Amino acid sequence: MTTAVEVPEELLARLPVEQRGLGLDRDGVRLLVSCGAEEVSHHAFVELPGLLRAGDLLVVNTSSTLAAAVDGRLGHARMVVHFSTRGEDGRWAVELRDPDGTGTTRARAGGPAGTEVCLPGDVRLVLEEPLTTRSPRLWWARVSEPDVPGLLRRHGRPIRYSYTERDQPLSVYQSVFALPSADGSGSAEMPSAARPFTPRLVAELVSRGVQFAPITLHTGVASTEAHEPPYPERFAVPEASARSINAARAGDGRVIAVGTTAVRAVESAVGPDGVVRAAEGWTDLVVTPERGVRVADGLLTGLHEPEASHLLMLEAIAGPAAIRHGYDEALCGRYLWHEFGDMHLVLPSEMSEGRRRSENPHTEHCVSNCR
């Protein structure tokens, strides 16, 4: 962020909300709403339907979360392999981690080429080359078991970070929108912005005229230590979703991405003419304030660490002043951070929304105030 903030340990969400209190469901988290640089309001997430309006469109990621952490051995040393991304040639991008003795892991140096890790079931994993030249953290690896998704189902568990209290079943990491892919691919880390949605809340949103556009982006293993920019990831924007997004932009609706993954996908599918088209493949797009956004009017996301590269995307959508003000309010309001924490809805101000619509020749109606 443009201004560094310190997130106190007690504001790190260590358990899912439904495990923190009797009778709570996933939608029991809080919701901070930023509308422009000055307007901030505090809500419960179940109030989301009242904060949106008929014609708004939520772009949601349907990627399912994998049990991507597998125990292994490097010689006589215990090791944890985080499976990140499935390559087109059958290799997997992986990160090797050292167990820390508390059920989580710590970073270790990647490589070198030829390193062999023994996995359960006499499976061998061999490191071949770094994923990119920028960092040796992730390596392309060849696995002797061709059915890696099956290996993960049999021996894997969800990736867990040190701020969480205990291991959780894989179901805790799946959103209501998650769909299994035909080839067993998925996200190494949960697309967590959609986690608070429940079937009941989705039904209420639909009944109020809010629309949904599904996309898929399989997230890789992030760096909790270095906060590196995102690596290339597989995505797909279906034709029906592209049409829905274009229709919302041509009318009165706001296109609100549910999570940074949804932003990356739709911004990878928009052409120079501002039209979103069906697309799939790999995206290496990094959304920054300098690049800007062409599709997303707003963003629903969690609260990110001050050093996280995702904050550049938030600033691209709302501007640094709005994000800085919102995060100051989140700290003062004791909001909880990370994938099991509270949510942040970033909406366009009346001025910026009006400017966007005045540039759209298909728009005939005025905008209402951000509520």
Side-chain angles (χ1 to χ4, degrees), residues 52-267:
L52 302 180
R53 52 191 191 226
D56 284 346
L57 183 141
L58 295 175
V59 182
V60 296
N61 190 355
T62 64
S63 178
S64 59
T65 307
L66 301 175
V70 179
D71 291 325
R73 286 195 172 273
L74 181 58
H76 295 292
R78 293 176 58 232
M79 187 67 50
V80 178
V81 179
H82 287 176
F83 283 81
S84 178
T85 305
R86 182 180 192 160
E88 299 293 348
D89 59 359
R91 296 186 298 176
W92 280 75
V94 302
E95 180 186 27
L96 303 188
R97 308 273 298 186
D98 289 322
D100 63 3
T102 65
T104 56
T105 60
R106 55 178 175 266
R108 71 186 304 274
T115 297
E116 182 174 300
V117 179
C118 298
L119 300 177
D122 294 325
V123 174
R124 297 290 185 270
L125 177 149
V126 180
L127 301 185
E128 293 191 347
E129 60 182 331
L131 181 63
T132 74
T133 57
R134 294 195 309 267
S135 168
R137 183 177 64 87
L138 290 173
W139 280 65
W140 285 116
R142 191 75 61 179
V143 187
S144 63
E145 166 58 72
D147 182 18
V148 172
L151 172 72
L152 300 184
R153 287 193 296 271
R154 293 190 301 272
H155 302 291
R157 62 184 179 277
I159 291 174
R160 176 189 158 202
Y161 291 118
S162 58
Y163 51 78
T164 56
E165 185 171 302
R166 58 176 177 263
D167 285 345
Q168 298 286 346
L170 186 58
S171 59
V172 168
Y173 292 88
Q174 306 293 9
S175 81
V176 70
F177 305 110
L179 296 172
S181 62
D183 64 358
S185 296
S187 289
E189 296 181 358
M190 172 178 55
S192 56
R195 190 184 188 279
F197 285 88
T198 61
R200 179 184 62 249
L201 188 65
V202 171
E204 183 178 353
L205 286 162
V206 171
S207 73
R208 289 172 175 253
V210 176
Q211 304 171 67
F212 290 85
I215 58 87
T216 301
L217 187 139
H218 297 313
T219 67
V221 176
S223 168
T224 57
E225 291 85 15
H227 296 293
E228 299 157 347
Y231 289 88
E233 294 168 321
R234 289 173 58 189
F235 82 103
V237 176
E239 175 65 36
S241 294
R243 288 199 303 267
S244 296
I245 293 168
N246 293 327
R249 288 178 56 76
D252 286 337
R254 297 169 295 186
V255 176
I256 299 169
V258 178
T260 57
T261 60
V263 176
R264 196 181 200 199
V266 296
E267 293 291 331

Side-chain angles (χ1 to χ4, degrees), residues 270-282:
V270 64
D273 57 359
V275 176
V276 177
R277 295 176 174 84
E280 63 179 312
W282 293 82

